[in-house]
Amino acid sequence: MRFASYAGRRNNFNLYAIHIRSAPQIPHAVFGYALPFLTATAEYGALSAPVSASQHGFTMSIPDQKQTSASSTPPYSGLAGWINRRLPVISAFRAEYVDFRVPRNLNGWWNFGAILTLVLGLMLASGIFLAMNYTPTDAGAFLSVEAIERQLSGGWLLRAMHMTGANLFLAALYLHLFRGLYYGSYKAPRELLWLTGLVLMLMVMATAFAGYLLPWGQMSYWGADVITKAVGAIPGIGPTLEHIMTGSDHLGDIFLHRFFVLHFVLAFLIVGVVGIHVAAVHVSGSNNPTGVEPRTPKDTVPFYPYYISKDLVGLILFAMVFAALMFFWPNMLIEPDNYTPADPMHTPADIEPEWYFLPFYGLLQSVPSKFGGLVAAAGSLLVLFALPWLDRSPVRSMRFRPLCRIGLLGVVCAFIVLADAGKHHAQGGWLIAARLAGLYYFGYFLVFLPLVSRTEKTRPLPSSIAASQGDA
């Protein structure tokens, strides 16, 4: 098997990253992740990490230097070797992104991490050039966006990339979140991985909302008006928060400037949190469709070439969808009213946010009071932070939890119903549908999961990842 020849060539630092799988080993795991940046040698033979099976997966040990092979040679020469001997970033990258071992059974749902990373880079690059030509003032914002599209060379392409990227980024993020819910990626030892992912989602949503306001069209202005008034309805501190957001008694220059800075700064803070999120993946290890931890070398494969090539296929398919939407159906992702300059004296017939905020807008409108709606919308996100402690079942994957699988599909349906209700302003029958969908959503997480996780009859788990694929 490929693993055997791989281990025979480098029975040392190459395998170091795979031995950090269990919660009891976290202190060692953190040390193992940071060690490539602290060690002063590029030789892979400098460390040895033999493995042994345990209840949670692989364990790790660091033997004495005398046990290492004296015949080991540095794998890099020339400039790369010179740099790596002084700052071993090359060997660290190889250990964490080339030789790093991941479960062999990851499916297409695991492509969205790479897709999100690529789109984030595209958004940052296009956003920087757009910011160079944007004017964050009441009088100049809309005109500067028009100038970017009509006068700046290639400006239409930059803005199309940025807008399409924003929509597909949120779509990929929601699918990434669903994968975590379905396969139980929030369970031990991956609680911090789940929590950092949720923090990222909140940051991305805040960045997307700020970006939606910057063109300062009709929907931008009236969307800002709805949100600021909802924040102002918070008892006690609401008026103060509203004044902090607007900066004055009306939406204008100060408001736009503050949200432009917020949009720009949050984008780069997201990059930092992404780094923490990726580090958490490498410390706790990736989950897999069975939810069973790797126990033997046969359960894992190196990230390169297996998952590099798999991610490339996913990225190519995503790029095709991206290009089709950007060039052929751009109006699918844009509200026509936002091509009209903001006018405080004229209220649009239908005020609604972008599609990715519609479920929360539906919750906001389904509650009679503004403050209650704000609590419901915020609570729908905050409840996810408690999920690792609400679901106490030892089984991770919904593949082996029939009742929870049906319940989670109901959550997806409730999410869609709330989005439709938000689009129809939660009136008439849509108001009843939104309230029922909201009750089901919160009931699943706060009542159903805690009760069912104690009493459900799960399907038998495979003995190992390899056994689940018929390679026992």
Side-chain angles (χ1 to χ4, degrees):
M1 190 174 176
R2 188 176 184 126
F3 183 93
S5 60
Y6 167 80
R9 292 195 306 270
R10 298 187 182 93
N11 185 23
N12 37 51
F13 186 65
N14 308 35
L15 298 178
Y16 198 74
I18 73 170
H19 311 308
I20 46 178
R21 293 290 186 263
S22 65
Q25 303 295 329
I26 287 298
H28 296 286
V30 174
F31 176 73
Y33 183 76
L35 190 60
F37 301 95
L38 302 176
T39 182
T41 178
E43 296 186 2
Y44 279 82
L47 292 174
S48 177
V51 301
S52 60
S54 71
Q55 179 182 358
H56 299 284
F58 288 114
T59 58
M60 175 182 65
S61 60
I62 305 178
D64 188 77
Q65 289 273 9
K66 296 179 181 179
Q67 298 180 15
T68 60
S69 171
S71 61
S72 299
T73 58
Y76 307 109
S77 59
L79 179 62
W82 185 87
I83 294 173
N84 203 62
R85 285 190 295 273
R86 289 154 179 81
L87 185 65
V89 292
I90 301 175
S91 57
F93 179 85
R94 181 180 180 88
E96 299 298 335
Y97 295 100
V98 177
D99 299 329
F100 184 73
R101 300 191 68 85
V102 293
R104 58 183 279 179
N105 62 335
L106 302 188
N107 56 33
W109 286 103
W110 270 260
N111 281 85
F112 288 103
I115 288 171
L116 287 166
T117 304
L118 178 70
V119 178
L120 177 61
L122 181 66
M123 296 284 289
L124 287 171
S126 60
I128 289 172
F129 287 103
L130 289 172
M132 293 177 183
N133 298 276
Y134 176 74
T135 305
T137 64
D138 187 21
F142 186 85
L143 293 176
S144 66
V145 172
E146 287 292 297
I148 288 171
E149 289 206 339
R150 301 176 187 276
Q151 299 175 18
L152 181 66
S153 179
W156 67 271
L157 180 61
L158 282 174
R159 187 156 186 258
M161 289 168 58
H162 202 71
M163 290 190 301
T164 306
N167 283 273
L168 292 187
F169 191 91
L170 267 297
L173 186 62
Y174 285 156
L175 292 172
H176 196 58
L177 175 68
F178 173 77
R179 188 261 288 172
L181 291 171
Y182 188 83
Y183 292 115
S185 298
Y186 49 84
K187 290 179 176 288
R190 299 180 179 88
E191 296 95 337
L192 283 178
L193 176 62
W194 175 256
L195 296 178
T196 56
L198 291 177
V199 170
L200 270 173
M201 185 175 71
L202 294 179
M203 293 175 70
V204 167
M205 294 176 77
T207 307
F209 175 71
Y212 179 66
L213 305 181
L214 297 182
W216 213 230
Q218 274 288 74
M219 297 305 293
S220 298
Y221 178 88
W222 290 100
D225 182 72
V226 170
I227 292 301
T228 52
K229 287 180 178 177
V231 171
I234 299 175
I237 62 172
T240 302
L241 291 177
E242 183 181 4
H243 184 73
I244 290 173
M245 292 176 68
T246 60
S248 64
D249 57 354
H250 68 282
L251 300 175
D253 292 355
I254 300 176
F255 175 81
L256 265 175
H257 192 82
R258 288 181 178 181
F259 273 79
F260 173 65
V261 173
L262 179 69
H263 182 70
F264 199 83
V265 171
L266 275 178
F268 288 95
L269 291 178
I270 286 171
V271 176
V273 182
V274 166
I276 298 173
H277 189 64
V278 172
V281 173
H282 284 252
V283 170
S284 62
S286 179
N287 191 24
N288 66 85
T290 64
V292 177
E293 294 293 332
R295 292 189 174 90
T296 67
K298 293 174 67 175
D299 291 337
T300 61
V301 293
F303 189 75
Y304 175 84
Y306 296 100
Y307 287 109
I308 290 290
S309 56
K310 178 176 172 293
D311 284 345
L312 283 176
V313 172
L315 289 171
I316 291 171
L317 294 175
F318 177 82
M320 294 170 65
V321 175
F322 189 99
L325 288 174
M326 183 171 66
F327 292 119
F328 297 107
W329 298 288
N331 291 329
M332 285 181 60
L333 308 175
I334 302 169
E335 285 292 336
D337 283 339
N338 226 29
Y339 283 113
T340 305
D343 183 2
M345 305 303 293
H346 176 68
T347 306
D350 295 316
I351 301 175
E352 60 185 51
E354 291 288 274
W355 67 268
Y356 41 80
F357 289 134
L358 281 175
F360 311 103
Y361 189 58
L363 273 173
L364 184 70
Q365 292 189 320
S366 66
V367 180
S369 69
K370 289 182 180 179
F371 176 64
L374 189 64
V375 169
S380 65
L381 294 171
L382 296 178
V383 71
L384 298 175
F385 283 86
L387 193 53
W389 297 275
L390 292 173
D391 183 5
R392 306 303 298 175
S393 173
V395 179
R396 293 193 180 99
S397 178
M398 296 295 179
R399 284 185 176 183
F400 307 98
R401 306 175 65 185
L403 286 177
C404 287
R405 181 167 65 246
I406 295 172
L408 183 60
L409 293 178
V411 169
V412 174
C413 294
F415 196 75
I416 296 172
V417 169
L418 285 169
D420 278 335
K423 190 171 183 64
H424 293 87
H425 304 285
Q427 296 176 351
W430 286 110
L431 177 60
I432 298 173
R435 289 177 177 176
L436 291 176
L439 286 174
Y440 181 87
Y441 180 91
F442 285 105
Y444 173 81
F445 291 112
L446 298 176
V447 179
F448 181 80
L449 271 183
L451 293 179
V452 171
S453 61
R454 299 176 183 177
T455 60
E456 67 178 336
K457 293 183 180 180
T458 60
R459 294 171 53 194
L461 294 173
S463 59
S464 66
I465 295 174
S468 70
Q469 296 187 311
D471 185 15

mmCIF file of all heavy atoms in Angstrom, residues 100-117:
data_model
loop_
_atom_site.group_PDB
_atom_site.id
_atom_site.type_symbol
_atom_site.label_atom_id
_atom_site.label_comp_id
_atom_site.label_asym_id
_atom_site.label_seq_id
_atom_site.Cartn_x
_atom_site.Cartn_y
_atom_site.Cartn_z
ATOM 1 N N PHE A 100 0.361 15.801 5.261
ATOM 2 C CA PHE A 100 -0.690 15.725 6.279
ATOM 3 C C PHE A 100 -1.719 14.669 5.886
ATOM 4 O O PHE A 100 -2.250 14.667 4.782
ATOM 5 C CB PHE A 100 -1.376 17.085 6.412
ATOM 6 C CG PHE A 100 -2.415 17.144 7.501
ATOM 7 C CD1 PHE A 100 -2.038 17.159 8.828
ATOM 8 C CD2 PHE A 100 -3.769 17.178 7.180
ATOM 9 C CE1 PHE A 100 -2.995 17.221 9.836
ATOM 10 C CE2 PHE A 100 -4.727 17.237 8.178
ATOM 11 C CZ PHE A 100 -4.336 17.257 9.509
ATOM 12 N N ARG A 101 -2.005 13.765 6.831
ATOM 13 C CA ARG A 101 -2.870 12.640 6.511
ATOM 14 C C ARG A 101 -4.301 12.929 6.959
ATOM 15 O O ARG A 101 -4.541 13.434 8.049
ATOM 16 C CB ARG A 101 -2.331 11.360 7.154
ATOM 17 C CG ARG A 101 -0.925 11.018 6.664
ATOM 18 C CD ARG A 101 -0.500 9.620 7.081
ATOM 19 N NE ARG A 101 -1.274 8.605 6.398
ATOM 20 C CZ ARG A 101 -0.991 8.128 5.185
ATOM 21 N NH1 ARG A 101 0.043 8.613 4.520
ATOM 22 N NH2 ARG A 101 -1.722 7.182 4.643
ATOM 23 N N VAL A 102 -5.222 12.623 6.078
ATOM 24 C CA VAL A 102 -6.638 12.868 6.316
ATOM 25 C C VAL A 102 -7.410 11.577 6.073
ATOM 26 O O VAL A 102 -6.931 10.667 5.386
ATOM 27 C CB VAL A 102 -7.161 13.990 5.392
ATOM 28 C CG1 VAL A 102 -6.543 15.323 5.745
ATOM 29 C CG2 VAL A 102 -6.896 13.661 3.929
ATOM 30 N N PRO A 103 -8.620 11.465 6.631
ATOM 31 C CA PRO A 103 -9.418 10.257 6.404
ATOM 32 C C PRO A 103 -9.612 9.989 4.921
ATOM 33 O O PRO A 103 -9.814 10.902 4.117
ATOM 34 C CB PRO A 103 -10.751 10.595 7.089
ATOM 35 C CG PRO A 103 -10.390 11.571 8.152
ATOM 36 C CD PRO A 103 -9.278 12.390 7.578
ATOM 37 N N ARG A 104 -9.587 8.731 4.570
ATOM 38 C CA ARG A 104 -9.612 8.343 3.164
ATOM 39 C C ARG A 104 -11.000 8.431 2.542
ATOM 40 O O ARG A 104 -11.129 8.306 1.315
ATOM 41 C CB ARG A 104 -9.107 6.896 3.028
ATOM 42 C CG ARG A 104 -9.899 5.913 3.833
ATOM 43 C CD ARG A 104 -9.343 4.507 3.742
ATOM 44 N NE ARG A 104 -9.765 3.825 2.522
ATOM 45 C CZ ARG A 104 -9.401 2.585 2.206
ATOM 46 N NH1 ARG A 104 -8.593 1.908 3.015
ATOM 47 N NH2 ARG A 104 -9.827 2.042 1.093
ATOM 48 N N ASN A 105 -12.043 8.645 3.336
ATOM 49 C CA ASN A 105 -13.411 8.552 2.825
ATOM 50 C C ASN A 105 -14.123 9.899 2.700
ATOM 51 O O ASN A 105 -15.341 9.950 2.640
ATOM 52 C CB ASN A 105 -14.236 7.635 3.734
ATOM 53 C CG ASN A 105 -14.349 8.162 5.152
ATOM 54 O OD1 ASN A 105 -13.503 8.919 5.618
ATOM 55 N ND2 ASN A 105 -15.394 7.763 5.860
ATOM 56 N N LEU A 106 -13.380 10.995 2.680
ATOM 57 C CA LEU A 106 -14.022 12.297 2.562
ATOM 58 C C LEU A 106 -14.713 12.428 1.205
ATOM 59 O O LEU A 106 -14.142 12.077 0.171
ATOM 60 C CB LEU A 106 -13.000 13.421 2.729
ATOM 61 C CG LEU A 106 -12.210 13.442 4.042
ATOM 62 C CD1 LEU A 106 -11.377 14.718 4.131
ATOM 63 C CD2 LEU A 106 -13.141 13.326 5.243
ATOM 64 N N ASN A 107 -15.933 12.951 1.205
ATOM 65 C CA ASN A 107 -16.691 13.077 -0.033
ATOM 66 C C ASN A 107 -16.732 14.526 -0.509
ATOM 67 O O ASN A 107 -15.988 15.387 -0.013
ATOM 68 C CB ASN A 107 -18.119 12.520 0.151
ATOM 69 C CG ASN A 107 -18.850 13.188 1.306
ATOM 70 O OD1 ASN A 107 -18.656 14.367 1.592
ATOM 71 N ND2 ASN A 107 -19.706 12.432 1.987
ATOM 72 N N GLY A 108 -17.615 14.825 -1.445
ATOM 73 C CA GLY A 108 -17.663 16.154 -2.051
ATOM 74 C C GLY A 108 -18.029 17.272 -1.098
ATOM 75 O O GLY A 108 -17.739 18.442 -1.369
ATOM 76 N N TRP A 109 -18.677 16.940 0.023
ATOM 77 C CA TRP A 109 -19.013 17.985 0.998
ATOM 78 C C TRP A 109 -17.770 18.638 1.570
ATOM 79 O O TRP A 109 -17.841 19.762 2.076
ATOM 80 C CB TRP A 109 -19.860 17.398 2.127
ATOM 81 C CG TRP A 109 -21.271 17.115 1.732
ATOM 82 C CD1 TRP A 109 -21.817 15.902 1.438
ATOM 83 C CD2 TRP A 109 -22.331 18.070 1.588
ATOM 84 N NE1 TRP A 109 -23.143 16.032 1.111
ATOM 85 C CE2 TRP A 109 -23.494 17.361 1.210
ATOM 86 C CE3 TRP A 109 -22.419 19.448 1.747
ATOM 87 C CZ2 TRP A 109 -24.715 17.988 0.977
ATOM 88 C CZ3 TRP A 109 -23.638 20.071 1.522
ATOM 89 C CH2 TRP A 109 -24.767 19.349 1.143
ATOM 90 N N TRP A 110 -16.633 17.966 1.506
ATOM 91 C CA TRP A 110 -15.391 18.530 2.050
ATOM 92 C C TRP A 110 -14.678 19.438 1.049
ATOM 93 O O TRP A 110 -13.619 19.960 1.347
ATOM 94 C CB TRP A 110 -14.467 17.415 2.523
ATOM 95 C CG TRP A 110 -14.688 17.043 3.941
ATOM 96 C CD1 TRP A 110 -13.939 17.432 5.020
ATOM 97 C CD2 TRP A 110 -15.741 16.230 4.488
ATOM 98 N NE1 TRP A 110 -14.452 16.924 6.178
ATOM 99 C CE2 TRP A 110 -15.568 16.169 5.884
ATOM 100 C CE3 TRP A 110 -16.817 15.553 3.935
ATOM 101 C CZ2 TRP A 110 -16.409 15.463 6.728
ATOM 102 C CZ3 TRP A 110 -17.659 14.840 4.765
ATOM 103 C CH2 TRP A 110 -17.467 14.794 6.141
ATOM 104 N N ASN A 111 -15.268 19.647 -0.127
ATOM 105 C CA ASN A 111 -14.681 20.570 -1.098
ATOM 106 C C ASN A 111 -14.948 22.029 -0.757
ATOM 107 O O ASN A 111 -14.241 22.919 -1.239
ATOM 108 C CB ASN A 111 -15.249 20.298 -2.499
ATOM 109 C CG ASN A 111 -14.602 19.109 -3.157
ATOM 110 O OD1 ASN A 111 -15.012 17.981 -2.930
ATOM 111 N ND2 ASN A 111 -13.587 19.340 -3.971
ATOM 112 N N PHE A 112 -15.963 22.286 0.057
ATOM 113 C CA PHE A 112 -16.371 23.665 0.256
ATOM 114 C C PHE A 112 -15.361 24.473 1.055
ATOM 115 O O PHE A 112 -15.342 25.706 0.967
ATOM 116 C CB PHE A 112 -17.754 23.713 0.913
ATOM 117 C CG PHE A 112 -18.853 23.307 -0.024
ATOM 118 C CD1 PHE A 112 -19.434 22.053 0.062
ATOM 119 C CD2 PHE A 112 -19.282 24.165 -1.010
ATOM 120 C CE1 PHE A 112 -20.429 21.668 -0.813
ATOM 121 C CE2 PHE A 112 -20.287 23.802 -1.894
ATOM 122 C CZ PHE A 112 -20.868 22.542 -1.796
ATOM 123 N N GLY A 113 -14.520 23.830 1.844
ATOM 124 C CA GLY A 113 -13.470 24.570 2.546
ATOM 125 C C GLY A 113 -12.504 25.213 1.563
ATOM 126 O O GLY A 113 -12.153 26.392 1.690
ATOM 127 N N ALA A 114 -12.071 24.435 0.554
ATOM 128 C CA ALA A 114 -11.169 24.981 -0.468
ATOM 129 C C ALA A 114 -11.873 26.038 -1.301
ATOM 130 O O ALA A 114 -11.278 27.066 -1.660
ATOM 131 C CB ALA A 114 -10.655 23.850 -1.362
ATOM 132 N N ILE A 115 -13.151 25.816 -1.612
ATOM 133 C CA ILE A 115 -13.915 26.788 -2.394
ATOM 134 C C ILE A 115 -14.023 28.113 -1.647
ATOM 135 O O ILE A 115 -13.811 29.194 -2.215
ATOM 136 C CB ILE A 115 -15.315 26.220 -2.711
ATOM 137 C CG1 ILE A 115 -15.201 25.097 -3.748
ATOM 138 C CG2 ILE A 115 -16.247 27.314 -3.216
ATOM 139 C CD1 ILE A 115 -16.487 24.331 -3.980
ATOM 140 N N LEU A 116 -14.322 28.052 -0.357
ATOM 141 C CA LEU A 116 -14.437 29.270 0.441
ATOM 142 C C LEU A 116 -13.110 30.015 0.507
ATOM 143 O O LEU A 116 -13.077 31.257 0.461
ATOM 144 C CB LEU A 116 -14.930 28.922 1.847
ATOM 145 C CG LEU A 116 -16.407 28.524 1.944
ATOM 146 C CD1 LEU A 116 -16.695 27.864 3.293
ATOM 147 C CD2 LEU A 116 -17.301 29.737 1.744
ATOM 148 N N THR A 117 -12.016 29.287 0.626
ATOM 149 C CA THR A 117 -10.701 29.926 0.675
ATOM 150 C C THR A 117 -10.399 30.660 -0.620
ATOM 151 O O THR A 117 -9.905 31.800 -0.622
ATOM 152 C CB THR A 117 -9.617 28.877 0.951
ATOM 153 O OG1 THR A 117 -9.920 28.181 2.167
ATOM 154 C CG2 THR A 117 -8.249 29.520 1.076
#
